[in-house]
DNA sequence: TTGCACTGGTGTAAAATACACACTAATTTC
DNA sequence: GAAATTAGTGTGTATTTTACACCAGTGCAA
C-alpha cells in the first residue's frame, strides 16, 4: 500500500479503428452494440486494458479477437478522456487504427457474436459514445501517415496492380490522382517488385502485378530516404482556396 | 454500481514537456524529484488527472501551476502505458507538449518548491521513469508540427527579429537554414507584421522588429492555405544518404 | 473475324519550388 | 574614422510538380 492507492483511478480502454479496402472503398469495421449504453448502435471495437497488458498489446488483442489477424499495421493516434464521454463513469480510451487486408480476414466467432460489419468510411454518420470523433481523428491520421510512409500496401493483397494501388490512395486521400504522375512517383520510389505476372479473368487488357518490397523499404528507410507522396496536395489547396473566394 | 466497477482501473496522469527558447537554445522545463521513486533525478512535470477534469484541462493545470501561464499552445502527443513504467503500480500517462515564451514566465511558488529548471533539450541525457522517451517523442512531434503550422511564434516574445525566428527554427529542426531563403519563405507567407521599429541597444546594425499576425493566420488557415516550411529537408535527406554510403 | 468496350501503359513541356551563393548597409565601439 | 558586427538583399540553376492525350492488349458480342 503506497500513497499511490489514494489517487483517483479510472477505467481505461483501447478503441481500434480497423481500416480495410474493398471494392474501391475505404472501409471501417464496426460493431453493433448488444448492451447499454447505446444498445443497437454502431461502435468502434474496443475493450478494457488488462492489468498486465501494454497498450499496444491490448489494441492487438482487440484486433485479433475480431479478425483473427496478427502482425498488422497498428498506430496509436490519440487519447480521449472527456469527463462525460461514457455515461456509466469515467473511461479514458486510447485510440488506435490498424490496416488489414480484407481478403485475409476470416470472420471470427467473436466477430459474428459481436455483429461486426464493414462500413464505407464516407457513409458513417453517427456512432456510439464519441466514436465518430475518434474515427475522424484516425482517418485524418491515416491520411497524413500515408503521405510519408508507404503504409498503403498494408491494405492491399500481396499482389496488386498499379491501378488498384492508385484507387486505394485516392480513397484514403479523398482526391483524384493523375495516372501517369502517380505511376512515375510510385515506381520511382523503387519499392515495387515486378512479378512478371498479369491479372487473369478480366475482360480487358490485363495489368501487371506487383508486390511491395518490404526489405528494400527497410533498407531505404535506414538511409533516410524520403517517401513523401506530395501529389495532389498543392492542387487540393489551390482548389480550396479558389472555393473560398 | 454497474458492471463497470468490476473492471481493472488504473491511475493516470498527464506529463507535460514544456518547451521554451532562450539564448539560442531550445529548452525544456524539468523538475528535480523530491521523493521516491527516482528521488533526486530530473523528471517531466506531471500530475494525476482529477475525476472531474478533461485531459487537456489537466495538462493546462500542470503547466499553470509551474509557470503561471495560461492559454499557451498545447498539443497532445502520445500515451505511455507500459506495464512496468512506474515501480509503484500501473500508471498510464498522456504526454503533452506546450510552448511558452520564457520571458513571460514568472517563477511560481510551486515551481520553486518543485525545483523547476530549464535545460537545453540537447543536453538532457537521462530522466526519471520513461520520461526521456517521452521527451524524445514530444521533440519529434514539435519538429514535424513546426513544419506545417507556424507554431514557432509561440516560443518568441511578441516582437522579434527575423534572425531570432531563424535561430528558433534552426534549434527546433536541428539544422542550419539559409538566411536568404528562409526570409523569402517566411515573408512570403505574409504572416508577419512589420512594426516599423528596430532593435535598440545592440552593438551593430539594428534589425527590424516583426510580430506574428494571428488573425491573418486564422483567415488563411480557413482558406486552406499551406504553410509548409520545406527548406532544409531535401538537403538533410541527401546528407544522411551520403553518410550511409 | 471483326470491331467494340474497356482498362493498361507511356512521355514531354511548362511552372513552381528549392537550392546555392556574396556583397553592401547600418550601427556601436575603440 | 576604422574596425567589428549583424542586417538585409537578388539571381541563376536544379529539382519537383503539374497538366495533358494517345496507342496497346484483351474479352466479348455481333
Amino acid at each position: 500500500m503506497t500513497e499511490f492507492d489514494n489517487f483517483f483511478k479510472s477505467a481505461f480502454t483501447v478503441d481500434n479503428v480497423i481500416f480495410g479496402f474493398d471494392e474501391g472503398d475505404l472501409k471501417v469495421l464496426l460493431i453493433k452494440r448488444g448492451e447499454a449504453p447505446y444498445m443497437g448502435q454502431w461502435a468502434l471495437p474496443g475493450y478494457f486494458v488488462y492489468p498486465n497488458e501494454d497498450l499496444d498489446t491490448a489494441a492487438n488483442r482487440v484486433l485479433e479477437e475480431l479478425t483473427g489477424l496478427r502482425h498488422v499495421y497498428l498506430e496509436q493516434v490519440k487519447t480521449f478522456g472527456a469527463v462525460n464521454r461514457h455515461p456509466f463513469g469515467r473511461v479514458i480510451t486510447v485510440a488506435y487504427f490498424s490496416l488489414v487486408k480484407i481478403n485475409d480476414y476470416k470472420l471470427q466467432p467473436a466477430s459474428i457474436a459481436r455483429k461486426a460489419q464493414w462500413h464505407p468510411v464516407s457513409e458513417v454518420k453517427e456512432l456510439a459514445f464519441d466514436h465518430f470523433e475518434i474515427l475522424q481523428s484516425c482517418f485524418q491520421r491515416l491520411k497524413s501517415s500515408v503521405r510519408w510512409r508507404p503504409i498503403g500496401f498494408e491494405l492491399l493483397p500481396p499482389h496488386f496492380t498499379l491501378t488498384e494501388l492508385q484507387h486505394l490512395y485516392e480513397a484514403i486521400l479523398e482526391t483524384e490522382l493523375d495516372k501517369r504522375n502517380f505511376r512515375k512517383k510510385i515506381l520511382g520510389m523503387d519499392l515495387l517488385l515486378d512479378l512478371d505476372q498479369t491479372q487473369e479473368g478480366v475482360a480487358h487488357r490485363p495489368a501487371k502485378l506487383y508486390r511491395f518490397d518490404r526489405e528494400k523499404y527497410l533498407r531505404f528507410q535506414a538511409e533516410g530516404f524520403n517517401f513523401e507522396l506530395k501529389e495532389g496536395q498543392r492542387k487540393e489547396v489551390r482548389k480550396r482556396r479558389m472555393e473560398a473566394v
Side-chain angles (χ1 to χ4, degrees), chain A:
Chain A
M1 184 80 180
T2 70
E3 126 191 75
F4 247 65
D5 302 290
N6 299 322
F7 285 108
F8 166 65
K9 296 194 174 50
S10 97
F12 78 105
T13 61
V14 293
D15 285 316
N16 201 335
V17 177
I18 302 170
F19 289 111
F21 181 67
D22 196 25
E23 298 166 14
D25 259 348
L26 186 68
K27 301 198 172 168
V28 57
L29 192 59
L30 298 177
I31 284 186
K32 192 163 221 165
R33 285 187 62 83
E35 66 217 334
Y38 297 100
M39 171 126 95
Q41 285 213 42
W42 293 100
L44 295 172
Y47 203 70
F48 292 88
V49 176
Y50 297 142
N52 59 345
E53 226 183 12
D54 290 342
L55 299 178
D56 289 359
T57 313
N60 271 302
R61 172 172 52 79
V62 166
L63 178 74
E64 190 180 353
E65 275 170 10
L66 275 177
T67 63
L69 298 174
R70 318 182 76 174
H71 310 302
V72 305
Y73 187 86
L74 193 76
E75 183 174 330
Q76 193 198 108
V77 176
K78 196 179 163 189
T79 296
F80 293 79
V83 172
N84 293 316
R85 60 178 294 279
H86 196 301
F88 287 4
R90 186 77 190 266
V91 182
I92 282 100
T93 195
V94 185
Y96 282 80
F97 77 81
S98 44
L99 304 180
V100 314
K101 311 183 206 303
I102 287 194
N103 298 327
D104 287 10
Y105 161 80
K106 302 271 166 14
L107 226 52
Q108 298 296 298
S111 29
I112 299 165
R114 297 180 71 190
K115 298 190 182 140
Q117 211 172 88
W118 292 102
H119 296 247
V121 171
S122 58
E123 290 172 18
V124 176
K125 299 290 179 231
E126 202 183 4
L127 293 174
F129 307 103
D130 52 0
H131 286 188
F132 185 66
E133 190 191 345
I134 296 178
L135 170 60
Q136 285 184 310
S137 288
C138 288
F139 184 30
Q140 214 48 49
R141 177 72 146 264
L142 170 60
K143 264 190 202 183
S144 71
S145 287
V146 89
R147 280 196 190 280
W148 291 96
R149 262 165 308 160
I151 58 174
F153 303 100
E154 308 286 344
L155 288 162
L156 290 177
H159 301 171
F160 50 85
T161 70
L162 290 180
T163 302
E164 283 165 355
L165 184 62
Q166 180 178 343
H167 287 335
L168 169 62
Y169 272 87
E170 290 177 335
I172 294 177
L173 298 173
E174 295 186 297
T175 183
E176 285 187 13
L177 301 172
D178 179 86
K179 183 159 64 160
R180 280 184 283 197
N181 294 337
F182 179 79
R183 293 161 106 94
K184 210 187 310 169
K185 184 87 188 191
I186 290 288
L187 292 174
M189 288 181 186
D190 205 22
L191 287 177
L192 294 190
L193 221 67
D194 186 339
L195 291 168
D196 283 320
Q197 294 173 37
T198 51
Q199 280 180 310
E200 284 174 18
V202 286
H204 54 78
R205 174 176 175 181
K208 283 170 101 171
L209 291 172
Y210 293 86
R211 77 170 177 81
F212 175 59
D213 189 340
R214 196 176 302 272
E215 290 68 38
K216 208 180 252 180
Y217 169 57
L218 295 173
R219 233 174 314 129
F220 283 161
Q221 199 185 31
E223 291 174 25
F225 204 92
N226 196 339
F227 298 101
E228 184 177 6
L229 182 93
K230 180 97 170 226
E231 192 190 352
Q233 195 166 277
R234 229 147 59 182
K235 190 171 53 180
E236 269 304 291
V237 168
R238 208 180 301 153
K239 199 176 70 188
R240 263 179 294 159
R241 214 178 310 168
M242 299 293 280
E243 287 165 0
V245 174

